[in-house]
Amino acid sequence: MLLFSVLAAAIAPGLSLLTYLYLKDRYDAEPIHMVARMFLVGMLLVLPIMVIQRGLLLWLGDNPLFFSFAVSAGVEELFKWFVLYHIIYNHTEFDEPYDGIVYAASISLGFATLENVLFVIFQPVTFGSIVMRALLPVSGHALFGIAMGYYLGKAKFAPVSRSRIYLLMSLAVPLSWHGLYDYIMMAVKTYWIVLIAPLMAVLWMVGLAKMKKANANSPFRLLIREEEIKQ
C-alpha cells in the first residue's frame, strides 16, 4: 500500500499538469489518444536518453556548465524536439498554434513522470522531497515543453521565410532555460532556492503568456465568433 501511494504521488503531478494544459485549449481540443500517445513516447525516451547521457558523462566528464547545457538539457530537449518534429509537426491534427504546446507538454511530462517514478523507486524519499520534485523538475519539464510547443506552433503557421527561425527557437529556447535550471541546481551548493524560485516564477509567467498568445492566434477563434454572431 505504501509503494502504491508513493507511485501515485510520483505520477500525479505530471498527469495533473497535462490535464491543466489540455483543458486550456479553448477552441479545438486534441484527440485524447494523440495526447496519450505522446505522453507514452516521452516515457519511452527516458531509457535511451539515460544511456546516452551516461556515456557522455563517462567520456567527457561532469563539468557543471557542459553537463547542464549539453549532456542534460541538450540531449533531453533534442530528443523531444526530434520526435515532435517528425511525428507531430506535419500531422493533420496539428491545426492551430496551441496544439504545439499540448503535444510538447505531453512528451515532456511523459518523460518527467517516468523520471519521477524511477526517482522514488531507487532513492529514499520523503513527502517533502516528492512535493519539491513536483514543484521543480516536473513543472520545469512542463514549462520547457510549453516554450518548445509555442515556437513549433509559430513555425507551423508562419511564412516559410520565418518558419525556420521559429523552428530553431523551438529547440534553442527550452534548451537554454533547461540548461540554466540544471546549472543552478548543480553549481550552487547552498541557497540555490534563492535563484531557482525566481527562475520558476519567470518561467510560469512567460509560459502562461505564451499559452494565452497561442490561443489568441487560433484560426478556430474567428470561426466560433462567426457562429455566435449568426446565432
Side-chain angles (χ1 to χ4, degrees):
M1 182 61 71
L2 178 60
L3 178 60
F4 176 81
S5 299
V6 170
L7 289 176
I11 294 169
L15 292 179
S16 299
L17 283 167
L18 181 56
T19 300
Y20 169 77
L21 294 173
Y22 180 81
L23 294 176
K24 282 293 183 178
D25 191 348
R26 297 175 56 189
Y27 300 107
D28 185 42
E30 298 308 290
I32 294 292
H33 73 273
M34 287 288 294
V35 177
R37 176 186 175 191
M38 296 313 297
F39 186 86
L40 292 174
V41 168
M43 297 179 75
L44 292 174
L45 289 180
V46 171
L47 181 58
I49 285 176
M50 288 178 64
V51 171
I52 291 172
Q53 287 176 331
R54 181 60 179 169
L56 290 173
L57 188 62
L58 293 173
W59 181 31
L60 299 171
D62 60 351
N63 174 273
L65 186 63
F66 178 79
F67 179 84
S68 299
F69 285 90
V71 178
S72 179
V75 173
E76 290 175 19
E77 299 305 327
L78 181 60
F79 263 72
K80 290 185 281 187
W81 184 91
F82 182 85
V83 170
L84 284 168
Y85 181 77
H86 288 280
I87 294 180
I88 292 298
Y89 189 71
N90 292 313
H91 199 285
T92 55
E93 292 293 347
F94 193 169
D95 53 9
E96 62 171 336
Y98 192 87
D99 294 351
I101 291 177
V102 172
Y103 290 122
S106 299
I107 194 170
S108 293
L109 286 169
F111 179 90
T113 297
L114 184 55
E115 188 180 56
N116 212 30
V117 168
L118 294 175
F119 177 83
V120 301
I121 290 176
F122 295 109
Q123 299 289 334
V125 295
T126 63
F127 176 77
S129 65
I130 292 175
V131 171
M132 188 63 70
R133 285 192 62 83
L135 293 174
L136 294 178
V138 177
S139 61
H141 276 287
L143 293 165
F144 308 145
I146 290 172
M148 182 179 291
Y150 174 77
Y151 288 108
L152 277 175
K154 288 186 75 68
K156 173 80 172 182
F157 300 98
V160 176
S161 59
R162 299 175 61 188
S163 179
R164 293 178 183 176
I165 296 175
Y166 288 133
L167 277 175
L168 178 61
M169 292 178 69
S170 70
L171 176 60
V173 172
L175 193 158
S176 299
W177 284 120
H178 192 164
L180 178 59
Y181 170 93
D182 285 348
Y183 182 72
I184 292 172
M185 297 299 288
M186 284 194 67
V188 182
K189 303 301 181 182
T190 57
Y191 305 113
W192 53 267
I193 192 67
V194 175
L195 297 175
I196 283 294
L199 175 63
M200 294 301 291
V202 169
L203 284 173
W204 269 112
M205 289 188 291
V206 171
L208 291 171
K210 290 186 184 306
M211 290 163 59
K212 185 176 180 180
K213 288 181 181 178
N215 265 317
N217 290 327
S218 172
F220 299 105
R221 177 175 61 90
L222 298 177
L223 293 175
I224 290 175
R225 285 186 176 179
E226 288 178 1
E227 290 177 359
E228 290 176 347
I229 292 172
K230 290 177 181 178
Q231 291 176 359

